[in-house]
Amino acid sequence: MKVLWLCNIMLPMIAGQLHMETSNKEGWLSGLADAVLERRRENGIALSVAFPVGKNFPAMVGKNGAMRRISPAVKNGSSSEHFGKENGEFLEGGVFKAVLSVRENNIVCYGFPEDVSHAERYDEALEESLKRIVEDASPDLVHCFGTEYPHTLAMCRIFPRKDRILAGLQGLCTLYAEAYYANLPEHVIHSVTFRDYLKQDSLVQQQEKFARRGEMEREAIGLAGNVTGRTRWDRAFTQKWNSGAQYFHMNETLRKEFYGPVWEAGKCIPHSIFVSQGDYPLKGLHYVLEALPAMIDRYPDVKVYVAGNSIVRCSTVKERLKLSAYGKYLLRLIERNELEDRVTFLGKLNAEQMRDRYLVSHMYLCPSASENSPNSLGEAMLLGMPCVSADVGGISSLFTGRKDGILYEGFREGGEGASQEDADRIADSLAAAVNEMWENPGRMQEYCKNARKRALATHDRDRNYARMIEIYEMICNGVGQEAED
């Protein structure tokens, strides 16, 4: 069986062999690819992987800055002008192809030009690039990991066998667009800073970009004959957008760094909260800042640590000019609530750094206005740490309140919009959930135990690999999926 994966990034396992910069995103896919390659004799899969490499991807690769040009004539080891042990060539449509050796097996990778920094724009040239990849790879099945980028729509348009397309749901941009402002005040939503104007990236424009991505996402799902998802939430909308698609339940395997270590209460920073991301409104950091005073009243030493891009730096004139409207609002909340010494922005963290921050934190908090099945929550559960989350989107399919941790009432889909009353309700609910978690250490430990047990089953690597292979075989054999509750 020849399978082509369409991914949103160059996988770390591929980037490492090509001596290129590695993304911290979707590292779990390398582990899944490893499993497919290691068990090739039993699964019979010949794997190819396609991914965007940027519109200006150079015809040069190298190690430690020593760039080498890859000759179009390099094929099957016929030229010594290659990088490492890999052979590369450029195909029509700007497609770069390389054959890599992993686990004593070959994996064919294709890099195609796409401006992923403007994922709201559909470039018809993608269709020609992906046609060239499909012609070269000649796959029996195409598995698209994620529906939120234009390349998935392009693949769904050009691949002739719609019944052999498997679209894997990650986020749902349509629904994220609806929740994007996350109860922000109207004056914040419509404010535009110098940075926002120059980048044409105000909050309104950001929301519009999600909405445009959602339109492409719905079309892609409407074309795909098969869909994988993990929650009641994503299944309901898949059936709404494409009632004829087969829906297969398939859980995700997480990054390898999170299997093994276990959180210990005695080794964490007391009353420290870890938030994995907070650089745009949907992630709900402003809810946390509004809720912090009520937490401080109960736990005077409480602190919040936020990973990811820091959008509140303003110690220099240049940094102040780079502030977004949302960054300025976060700063105002910090100043108004006197939280300067309570909130620490950690910047971008790799997998090991993220794991270590989880382990020294007293709680993981997911304050998002909308999520399908956040991997950050899965990672925290897998480590067996205290977890508090907003009850939004698909989270309740993977995390049961009063068993695995505490769910609180978050953003209401189609609800009251940006009213201050609704924002206050969410902040009060969040603070009450955090305070409750720490009030009963015995119950908290029981939550931790249950969360880890559940996550070990949900994110079991062998089970999820076997399920994926089962789905591939069902699709290629024309076997229907039985309905699931």
Side-chain angles (χ1 to χ4, degrees):
M1 183 194 309
K2 292 192 288 186
V3 177
L4 172 63
W5 284 4
L6 182 62
C7 303
N8 297 332
I9 61 164
M10 182 187 296
L11 303 185
M13 64 178 294
I14 293 174
Q17 290 210 33
L18 297 182
H19 314 302
M20 301 191 72
E21 184 178 351
T22 300
S23 170
N24 292 328
K25 297 179 180 179
E26 303 182 25
W28 55 275
L29 271 176
S30 287
L32 196 56
D34 272 340
V36 172
L37 294 169
E38 287 172 352
R39 306 180 193 185
R40 185 170 181 177
R41 287 187 179 181
E42 67 182 59
N43 62 43
I45 290 177
L47 182 64
S48 301
V49 181
F51 45 83
V53 290
K55 293 289 287 185
N56 299 314
F57 182 66
M60 307 181 75
V61 294
K63 188 174 183 179
N64 299 326
M67 308 298 283
R68 287 185 177 182
R69 182 170 296 277
I70 302 303
S71 169
V74 176
K75 292 183 179 180
N76 302 317
S78 61
S79 169
S80 61
E81 191 176 11
H82 64 280
F83 49 95
K85 299 179 180 178
E86 297 78 47
N87 296 325
E89 60 179 313
F90 278 85
L91 310 177
E92 295 176 3
V95 174
F96 172 73
K97 175 185 177 182
V99 181
L100 310 180
S101 178
V102 180
R103 301 291 185 266
E104 300 182 353
N105 284 290
N106 286 342
I107 179 172
V108 184
C109 67
Y110 300 93
F112 56 88
E114 180 184 20
D115 184 3
V116 294
S117 64
H118 291 95
E120 75 282 0
R121 300 175 185 171
Y122 188 84
D123 185 352
E124 292 187 356
L126 275 172
E127 296 181 19
E128 292 305 313
S129 297
L130 294 180
K131 281 180 184 177
R132 187 67 186 90
I133 292 172
V134 167
E135 288 170 1
D136 193 78
S138 187
D140 299 305
L141 180 148
V142 175
H143 187 172
C144 305
F145 288 89
T147 55
E148 62 269 38
Y149 284 94
H151 54 250
T152 296
L153 174 56
M155 180 63 78
C156 290
R157 284 180 172 178
I158 65 98
F159 195 66
R161 292 287 304 271
K162 309 306 181 191
D163 61 322
R164 294 292 183 90
I165 297 174
L166 179 62
L169 301 179
Q170 292 179 178
L172 293 177
C173 290
T174 295
L175 304 174
Y176 292 170
E178 293 174 1
Y180 190 80
Y181 296 136
N183 304 101
L184 290 179
E186 285 293 327
H187 72 275
V188 175
I189 292 172
H190 296 288
S191 63
V192 180
T193 65
F194 180 72
R195 172 262 179 206
D196 296 341
Y197 176 77
L198 285 183
K199 289 182 172 286
Q200 290 297 290
D201 191 43
S202 68
L203 285 170
V204 170
Q205 289 167 317
Q206 290 172 25
Q207 191 275 343
E208 290 172 346
K209 291 172 187 177
F210 264 92
R212 287 196 291 272
R213 293 174 71 181
E215 292 173 3
M216 290 185 282
E217 173 186 65
R218 293 196 304 277
E219 182 182 343
I221 292 172
L223 290 169
N226 308 277
V227 173
T228 64
R230 298 170 299 286
T231 67
R232 294 181 296 272
W233 192 65
D234 68 33
R235 180 167 188 161
F237 283 95
T238 295
Q239 293 175 333
K240 179 180 179 180
W241 297 333
N242 184 356
S243 60
Q246 288 198 94
Y247 180 95
F248 297 90
H249 187 278
M250 187 175 82
N251 289 317
E252 285 192 331
T253 297
L254 302 179
R255 295 179 289 183
K256 60 181 173 54
E257 288 82 2
F258 294 88
Y259 292 85
V262 181
W263 179 87
E264 297 179 46
K267 294 183 179 180
C268 73
I269 302 170
H271 305 132
S272 60
I273 298 171
F274 181 49
V275 177
S276 65
Q277 194 175 354
D279 57 351
Y280 59 104
L282 190 71
K283 294 301 177 181
L285 183 56
H286 53 287
Y287 295 135
V288 182
L289 300 182
E290 292 279 27
L292 259 176
M295 301 180 208
I296 294 169
D297 287 344
R298 179 68 180 83
Y299 300 99
D301 58 343
V302 67
K303 289 190 176 182
V304 175
Y305 295 85
V306 186
N309 295 323
S310 174
I311 61 170
V312 298
R313 292 195 190 98
C314 61
S315 57
T316 67
V317 173
K318 185 176 181 180
E319 287 177 344
R320 285 196 291 274
L321 290 174
K322 288 184 175 181
L323 282 174
S324 65
Y326 186 57
K328 288 187 71 172
Y329 181 60
L330 294 179
L331 279 173
R332 285 202 296 273
L333 291 178
I334 289 171
E335 293 168 359
R336 188 184 75 193
N337 295 328
E338 300 180 350
L339 303 174
E340 288 84 356
D341 297 327
R342 303 284 185 169
V343 183
T344 300
F345 291 87
L346 302 169
K348 293 182 179 180
L349 304 179
N350 61 30
E352 292 85 358
Q353 292 168 327
M354 285 283 286
R355 177 201 60 206
D356 294 344
R357 175 51 60 177
Y358 281 113
L359 292 173
V360 298
S361 300
H362 203 172
M363 178 187 297
Y364 164 79
L365 172 62
C366 177
S368 297
S370 185
E371 293 278 5
N372 186 23
S373 58
N375 282 348
S376 56
L377 176 58
E379 289 168 350
M381 292 174 68
L382 197 56
L383 295 173
M385 69 179 297
C387 297
V388 168
S389 175
D391 187 2
V392 296
I395 286 177
S396 62
S397 290
L398 301 169
F399 180 81
T400 301
R402 308 297 173 183
K403 181 177 180 181
D404 304 320
I406 298 177
L407 285 174
Y408 67 89
E409 188 179 4
F411 181 87
R412 294 170 177 164
E413 291 182 11
E416 301 173 27
S419 73
Q420 187 59 48
E421 180 181 351
D422 203 40
D424 291 343
R425 171 190 60 78
I426 295 171
D428 290 346
S429 182
L430 189 164
V434 169
N435 290 344
E436 180 186 341
M437 176 64 80
W438 287 330
E439 283 170 0
N440 190 323
R443 185 183 300 139
M444 182 181 73
Q445 288 290 353
E446 189 66 24
Y447 289 155
C448 294
K449 178 182 176 181
N450 292 340
R452 177 168 166 77
K453 180 179 179 180
R454 180 167 186 174
L456 284 169
T458 300
H459 306 293
D460 183 280
R461 289 173 287 193
D462 290 336
R463 184 183 300 176
N464 294 340
Y465 159 80
R467 176 57 173 163
M468 184 181 73
I469 300 302
E470 178 186 34
I471 293 170
Y472 289 176
E473 291 174 347
M474 292 174 72
I475 292 172
C476 288
N477 292 330
V479 178
Q481 169 73 358
E482 293 183 3
E484 300 176 6
D485 293 333

